[in-house]
Amino acid sequence: MISVEGLTVEFGVKPLFLDASFVVNDRDRIALVGKNGAGKSTMLKILCGKQQPTSGTVAVPNDYTIGYLPQVMILQDDTTVREEARKAFAKITELKEKIDELNRQLAERTDYESEAYMALVEKFTQEHERYMMMGGDNYEAEIERTLTGLGFLRTDFDRPTNEFSGGWRMRIELAKILLQKPDVLLLDEPTNHLDIESIQWLEQQLSQSSRAVVLVSHDRAFINNVTNRTLEISCGKVIDYKVKYDEYVKLRAERREQQIRAYENQQKEIADTKAFIERFRYQATKAVQVQQRIRQLEKIVPIEIDEVDTSALRLKFPPCLRSGDYPVICDQVAKSYGEHQVFANVDMMIKRGEKVAFVGKNGEGKSTLVKCIMGEIDYEGTLKVGHNTQIGYFAQNQAQLLDENLTVFETIDNVAKGEIRLKIKDILGAFMFGGEASDKYVKVLSGGERSRLAMIRLLLEPVNFLILDEPTNHLDMQSKDVLKEAIRAFDGTAIIVSHDRDFLDGLVDKVYEFGGGKVREHLGGIYEYLRFHNAETIEEAQTLSPLPLKGGEPESAKKSPFKGDLEGRDNALSYAERKEQQKKINKIQKQIKACEEKIATLEARLDELSKKLEDPANASDMKLVNQYTETQEALDKEMETWEELSLQIEN
């Protein structure tokens, strides 16, 4: 466990933390929350030893291992994806090289009866047993399982890492940390570069892990599904709530009400005391009582109230022209890069005022179709942008178009019109540019800060059609609430590309699903989309999508709100055959899930036994050795089963 005692961090006049104390126990899954700038990332850096506090202690056991994923890191570009992931098993690979060298020496020697040869055999045997106890060659299967879970295809494993975007390389770093199996995981915004399927896979891994987890995330659904404890950083204090995030929000509201009442009572007490002092200050008969009241006043410790939630701020888009009835119409739209078909035969009609979501794995064409709509790339088929359609487009690269010589305030002041100019400071505060941050020049802002600034600019421009590509990546929960309410109240049309289920919930009324070169339309919100397929994940829902048949759809499909495949109209399998095929796939997927749960349990048991065997006192305990061997054999068997089942899905 990690023990924090009397932690104080000072960067300026006001401390970031003051006398904070808490313990991270084994198996704790903790959400670290607080407004931006409260010190969440600083706390993670202190816990992993990358930053020192002003005072206080962080006690970590000597044999305790910590895995830390920062928001930004220097990434390596000189290896393949598989080779980079193998670095997580550096000790095992070093031992394998040592064993190979010993094996080479044994093969070259002929003095089979000599003491030196027998000593070499003994050394080889010992090292080989160590190698097998550490997992041996099974780590390759672990690498494949983890990379696949984080969204990589098997064809990606041997590609150079420099061919991937920064977001995908961050996934490689996350994979390495997970593969190292540290005693505690410190994760700073791990979902920023993941799609919905990868987030749900990560949820499952962290929920089933026997290790401690401390994470910072602005994905409410993610932290609710993973964590069971919440540490809030507020007013320089760390408050411990032994509940998950949603329950913490309720408890925090109650706590703030108590603070307000206590603060009001204290202010009344102070006012009464001051009134008494002023009234009897010059009366000799009351001199003793006056001095007592003055001393009481000096001893009063002011009650602080937690920071006010800025999500109460409401933004409204400025007036704009009314667009045509259909801002976007796609007719048999297709896009290819060489031989790779991203999507084909896309038919889509988005009505004025609709809010729609684009979902699916990364690389399936969501951003590509957005670029087609924006006219940034060529495509096949017909794509019409409606009459009087004024598009406001947000993507990560939009942040690079800001004028670096302006301050944050000037950037927004230049686009704000009318009464909204009176609320600029409130708006900046809602998006984490409060106080002195509004005077920063754009050129000194981080990538995340620039993205937020670009988002604010977009909110103040007179447009009637919003296209937002991953708009929530650099927003905290309060900022996301402000943005969500602004889009919900927006009179125009919106396309939102996002993996944030909580953000999409209650915001969109139609979902377009991208996958396998196809685009499918589903009426309803993101959770209706999952419920319709009786699925827990987007990935499972995609495998259940019914395709229209040559001879017409079955009656059950006609009655559903699912519009089916908007692309390829050919379908070689009959409905009955597809249904039977899907049953087999579902059965295999359930077996894979059960297998992964067994693997996680066996790995935890193996770690436990390994730590016991590392103790010299247990070196000769054959019972422990036998338990370790049996557990390792069971793990190997489960790994083989998992690989066989995975191949069945692929084939």
Side-chain angles (χ1 to χ4, degrees), residues 45-331:
K45 290 175 185 176
I46 290 171
L47 291 178
C48 70
K50 291 189 177 294
Q51 186 170 320
Q52 295 302 313
T54 306
S55 63
T57 60
V58 178
V60 182
N62 291 331
D63 59 345
Y64 215 65
T65 55
I66 296 176
Y68 171 55
L69 180 76
Q71 283 193 48
V72 181
M73 62 171 59
I74 299 173
L75 303 167
Q76 300 296 320
D77 284 329
D78 56 351
T79 59
T80 65
V81 173
R82 191 193 300 270
E83 289 167 351
E84 192 64 28
R86 278 190 189 132
K87 291 180 181 179
F89 299 95
K91 290 183 180 178
I92 293 181
T93 52
E94 286 174 12
L95 187 57
K96 180 69 165 61
E97 290 173 3
K98 187 176 181 181
I99 291 170
D100 290 343
E101 174 60 24
L102 291 171
N103 195 33
R104 185 188 63 77
Q105 292 178 24
L106 287 171
E108 290 176 352
R109 297 181 63 155
T110 56
D111 54 333
Y112 307 122
E113 303 298 327
S114 69
E115 290 184 8
Y117 185 85
M118 296 306 295
L120 195 62
V121 170
E122 179 67 20
K123 188 174 183 181
F124 173 83
T125 304
Q126 290 176 352
E127 297 297 343
H128 189 266
E129 286 178 356
R130 267 185 66 208
Y131 176 73
M132 296 308 294
M133 286 179 68
M134 291 171 69
D137 295 325
N138 291 325
Y139 70 84
E140 290 291 346
E142 277 191 74
I143 288 173
E144 292 193 7
R145 182 164 60 93
T146 303
L147 290 174
T148 302
L150 289 174
F152 289 93
L153 302 174
R154 291 182 183 274
T155 52
D156 293 329
F157 293 173
D158 296 313
R159 288 174 57 192
T161 56
N162 59 16
E163 291 184 5
F164 292 87
S165 66
W168 281 96
R169 282 180 285 172
M170 287 295 285
R171 293 192 192 205
I172 300 172
E173 294 302 316
L174 177 57
K176 285 164 60 178
I177 291 169
L178 294 174
L179 289 167
Q180 287 167 2
K181 297 177 183 174
D183 293 301
V184 62
L185 280 166
L186 307 178
L187 306 177
D188 197 349
E189 293 291 357
T191 64
N192 266 3
H193 301 286
L194 302 182
D195 51 32
I196 291 179
E197 295 79 17
S198 301
I199 290 174
Q200 290 170 331
W201 179 86
L202 181 60
E203 280 179 5
Q204 185 182 29
Q205 297 303 305
L206 296 180
S207 299
Q208 295 174 355
S209 173
S210 60
R211 295 162 178 80
V213 179
V214 182
L215 66 89
V216 175
S217 176
H218 295 142
D219 186 329
R220 188 170 292 157
F222 177 72
I223 62 173
N224 266 320
N225 292 337
V226 171
T227 63
N228 53 19
R229 180 178 165 197
T230 306
L231 284 179
E232 180 197 34
I233 302 176
S234 177
C235 297
K237 300 175 184 176
V238 176
I239 303 103
D240 194 352
Y241 295 84
K242 309 290 186 182
V243 294
K244 60 174 57 180
Y245 183 81
D246 275 352
E247 294 173 62
Y248 144 76
V249 172
K250 296 175 184 176
L251 292 175
R252 184 182 186 276
E254 293 173 4
R255 181 173 179 271
R256 192 165 186 277
E257 286 178 11
Q258 293 170 357
Q259 287 176 337
I260 291 171
R261 286 196 295 270
Y263 175 80
E264 290 172 347
N265 291 336
Q266 187 183 66
Q267 291 303 305
K268 185 178 184 303
E269 180 187 349
I270 291 171
D272 291 345
T273 303
K274 286 181 177 179
F276 181 90
I277 293 170
E278 287 300 320
R279 183 178 177 185
F280 300 107
R281 181 185 294 274
Y282 303 107
Q283 292 187 21
T285 56
K286 298 287 187 180
V288 175
Q289 292 95 319
V290 167
Q291 290 303 314
Q292 286 176 343
R293 298 296 175 93
I294 289 173
R295 285 194 291 271
Q296 286 176 7
L297 203 59
E298 290 172 349
K299 290 179 181 179
I300 290 177
V301 178
I303 293 173
E304 288 184 299
I305 301 174
D306 293 346
E307 291 95 336
V308 177
D309 189 349
T310 56
S311 63
L313 177 68
R314 295 290 179 262
L315 290 180
K316 188 174 182 180
F317 283 84
C320 59
L321 289 173
R322 178 187 173 93
S323 71
D325 290 340
Y326 293 94
V328 173
I329 299 175
C330 295
D331 183 13

Side-chain angles (χ1 to χ4, degrees), residues 519-542:
V519 180
R520 303 179 180 95
E521 180 188 69
H522 176 71
L523 302 179
I526 191 70
Y527 286 106
E528 283 82 1
Y529 163 74
L530 293 176
R531 282 196 293 268
F532 170 72
H533 291 296
N534 194 25
E536 295 180 0
T537 66
I538 297 291
E539 187 175 21
E540 184 182 352
Q542 287 176 326

